[in-house]
Amino acid sequence: MSRPLAIVVAVAENGVIGRDNGLAWHQRADLKRFRALTLGKPIVMGRKTYASIGKPLPGRETVVLTRDPAFAAPGVHVAHDLPGAMRLADEIAGRMGADEIPVVGGAELYRAALPLADRLHLTLVHAEPEGDVSFPDYDPADFVETWRESHPAGPHDDHPFTFIDLRRRRPAASC
């Protein structure tokens, strides 16, 4: 894979990333950041994450990773294993002129992709909501912080939050 893999995730202080196949909060500022980080790029997501969104996102090419050989959805690319998803996303990124490949969830895909990730674009939500999906543990020593910006909760945000960008200290593993 020639383009960096970037995980894009909003995670609460207790590690929660979701509840009932959706987000555990509403953070308009995070949704704007998500759009800015993924627009014009191929995004890789798991089938459950795709089902929670329900459609391809405009201005991006969607690669859905699923073990279901019968899965098909209009306007998306389908892959059945992580190496295949990464190769497909890299080909699409080349056509789109994208500089990275965002992985956007869910937890199972984050767990598999984390060892391969060159970058993490985190939104740390300053709350401890109940949830049934968590971001996998990782060693912070593997990454160096390159940018941080803290925000109070705005009128359309449930909680205060901090945007944090991390870059892997050494080359990521390969698929």
Side-chain angles (χ1 to χ4, degrees), residues 70-158:
F71 178 83
V76 303
H77 308 271
V78 178
H80 300 291
D81 60 35
L82 186 58
M86 295 302 111
R87 278 191 306 275
L88 180 56
D90 195 50
E91 290 170 17
I92 296 166
R95 290 195 301 268
M96 296 177 82
D99 62 349
E100 68 181 8
I101 299 167
V103 171
V104 300
E108 194 173 332
L109 179 53
Y110 285 142
R111 192 169 290 102
L114 196 53
L116 310 174
D118 299 286
R119 304 171 185 162
L120 300 180
H121 298 295
L122 302 176
T123 299
L124 179 59
V125 178
H126 299 296
E128 295 195 5
E130 289 187 23
D132 53 12
V133 183
S134 297
F135 192 68
D137 290 332
Y138 67 96
D139 186 350
D142 289 344
F143 295 89
V144 61
E145 187 174 307
T146 59
W147 181 73
R148 174 182 289 257
E149 187 176 276
S150 295
H151 298 268
H156 302 286
D157 301 314
D158 290 347

Side-chain angles (χ1 to χ4, degrees), residues 31-60:
L31 296 175
K32 287 181 180 181
R33 174 170 152 92
F34 177 88
R35 185 177 195 277
L37 288 169
T38 61
L39 203 60
K41 299 174 184 175
I43 56 175
V44 181
M45 66 180 70
R47 184 195 47 78
K48 291 179 197 172
T49 299
Y50 177 76
S52 73
I53 297 169
K55 63 181 181 183
L57 295 173
R60 290 149 273 211

